[in-house]
Structure formats: C-alpha cells, structure tokens
C-alpha cells in the first residue's frame, strides 16, 4: 500500500516537472512578456476635438511622405515604403485613433514594420515536339515576387515622441479654447414719431 502511494507521488511529481518544463518555454514567449504598463509611449492627451486631432495626425503623416489609406474624424491610417537593400523592401504602417476625453482628445498611435524579401523563381515554357510530345524548356526570365518575411510593432519611444511633437504643430492654434459666447442681437431702434 505504502509502495503504491510512493509510486503515485513519483508519477505526480514527474508529471508536474514535465508540465513545468513545457510551460517554461511558453513563459519565455514574447506574447507573455507583454506588460500593459502605465507608460504613455503609444498615447498622448491633446487639446481640442477628436476630429481636429485626427486631421492634425493626417497632416503629420502627409508631411513625412506617407500615403493615406484611411482618414476620418476618429481614425487615420497611412503607410510609407522603404528599400534599404536591392532585394529587401520595408513598409511602415501607422494607425492613429482619436477618442474624446472630456474637453480634450486622447490620441493613440501604433506603428507596424513589415519586411519583404524579393524571391526569384525561374519560369519554363512547354514546347510541343512531334514524336517526343511536350518538352519543358527553361528560359532565362524570372518571376519576381515580394514575400513577407517579418512583421513587428515599433516600440521605440523616441519614434512616437517625434510623432507627437510633429502632431502638435498641426493642431489648431485655438484647440481647447472655448468659443466666445455669441453676441446678443442688437436691440431694434424705435421708429421715429417726429412729424416736424
């Protein structure tokens, strides 16, 4: 009886060790290291309405050569292409969201960097030859295609700080300033009754 309890305990301990070893690798995953900290790398509060903030974000992207894929009062998306080497291509995609926060706007921005590599695949053509049937002959041309090889969110705080500094330049000068009260209409002037 005691031997069976010991063997059960040994099996349970061994199973726990195996599971913890498997879990140890998962714990090292980048996904599990996501901290959801309280830093403001990806967001800032700015003065004014969400529409004004998103328009400023659109102008910020345009000023840096981004192509605008989407733009409205709540969201802006733009992309820019780079070619650091002959067979490499990179694309930077920025997504901006503008949400109301009292009399201000909370601007969120996230940049994703996609990397592509040029893949060459030789083409061949089939030629019909009487008695032999169809023969496939390689020719010198290549079909080139870009294949995505990596994608990652930009986490460099300096990159986002520069974005928000540029954004401030495009916010309306009176953003966040309440509109002056409407002037009261002038009182009507009484009609003159002088007959003289």
């Amino acid at each position: 009886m005691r031997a069976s309890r010991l063997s059960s305990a040994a099996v349970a301990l061994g199973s726990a060790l195996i599971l913890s070893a498997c879990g140890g690798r998962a714990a090292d995953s980048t996904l599990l290291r996501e901290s959801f900290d309280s830093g403001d790398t990806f967001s800032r509060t700015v003065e004014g309405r969400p529409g004004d903030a998103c328009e400023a974000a659109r102008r910020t992207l345009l000023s840096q050569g981004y192509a605008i894929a989407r733009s409205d009062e709540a969201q802006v998306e733009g992309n820019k292409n780079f070619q650091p080497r002959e067979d490499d291509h990179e694309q930077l995609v920025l997504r901006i969201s503008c949400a109301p926060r009292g009399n201000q706007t909370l601007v969120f921005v996230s940049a994703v960097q996609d990397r592509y590599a040029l893949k060459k695949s030789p083409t061949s053509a089939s030629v019909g030859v009487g008695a032999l049937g169809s023969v496939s002959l390689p020719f010198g041309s290549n079909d080139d295609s870009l294949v995505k090889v990596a994608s990652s969110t930009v986490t460099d705080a300096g990159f986002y700080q520069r974005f928000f500094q540029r954004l401030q330049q495009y916010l309306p000068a009176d953003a966040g300033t309440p509109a002056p009260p409407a002037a009261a209409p002038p009182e009507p002037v009484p009609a003159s009754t002088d007959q003289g």
Side-chain angles (χ1 to χ4, degrees):
M1 182 76 171
R2 182 174 177 148
S4 67
R5 282 186 186 166
L6 286 175
S7 67
S8 297
V11 169
L13 181 62
S15 299
L17 289 173
I18 290 172
L19 290 174
S20 67
C22 292
R25 272 183 259 133
D28 290 338
S29 167
T30 304
L31 299 176
L32 296 182
R33 288 200 304 267
E34 183 64 60
S35 62
F36 287 99
D37 62 17
S38 60
D40 60 354
T41 299
F42 303 98
S43 64
R44 294 283 193 287
T45 300
V46 299
E47 298 296 329
R49 300 178 306 110
D52 293 335
C54 268
E55 175 60 17
R58 185 181 76 86
R59 293 179 184 203
T60 298
L61 295 183
L62 286 172
S63 75
Q64 301 302 305
Y66 284 78
I68 303 300
R70 173 185 177 163
S71 178
D72 58 40
E73 295 229 338
Q75 292 184 331
V76 178
E77 181 178 323
N79 58 70
K80 187 175 181 179
N81 298 310
F82 305 88
Q83 190 167 359
R85 288 170 295 282
E86 184 179 346
D87 291 343
D88 290 338
H89 174 83
E90 293 181 4
Q91 185 176 58
L92 197 57
V93 178
L94 267 75
R95 294 180 181 91
I96 299 110
S97 296
C98 306
R101 184 180 198 177
N103 294 329
Q104 299 174 312
T105 297
L106 194 54
V107 178
F108 299 92
V109 60
S110 176
V112 175
Q113 183 178 19
D114 294 326
R115 284 184 43 233
Y116 299 84
L118 190 65
K119 301 293 182 185
K120 298 178 183 288
S121 55
T123 58
S124 60
S126 296
V127 178
V129 180
L132 298 175
S134 180
V135 177
S136 182
L137 300 173
F139 286 95
S141 64
N142 287 318
D143 284 336
D144 297 342
S145 59
L146 286 173
V147 178
K148 186 187 285 190
V149 294
S151 182
S152 62
T153 299
V154 176
T155 57
D156 178 35
F159 172 85
Y160 294 102
Q161 183 176 2
R162 292 189 299 274
F163 170 83
F164 285 116
Q165 285 172 347
R166 188 75 173 170
L167 175 81
Q168 289 289 340
Q169 297 176 8
Y170 289 102
L171 287 170
D174 59 349
T177 305
E187 293 187 20
V189 177
S192 174
T193 57
D194 186 11
Q195 299 289 329

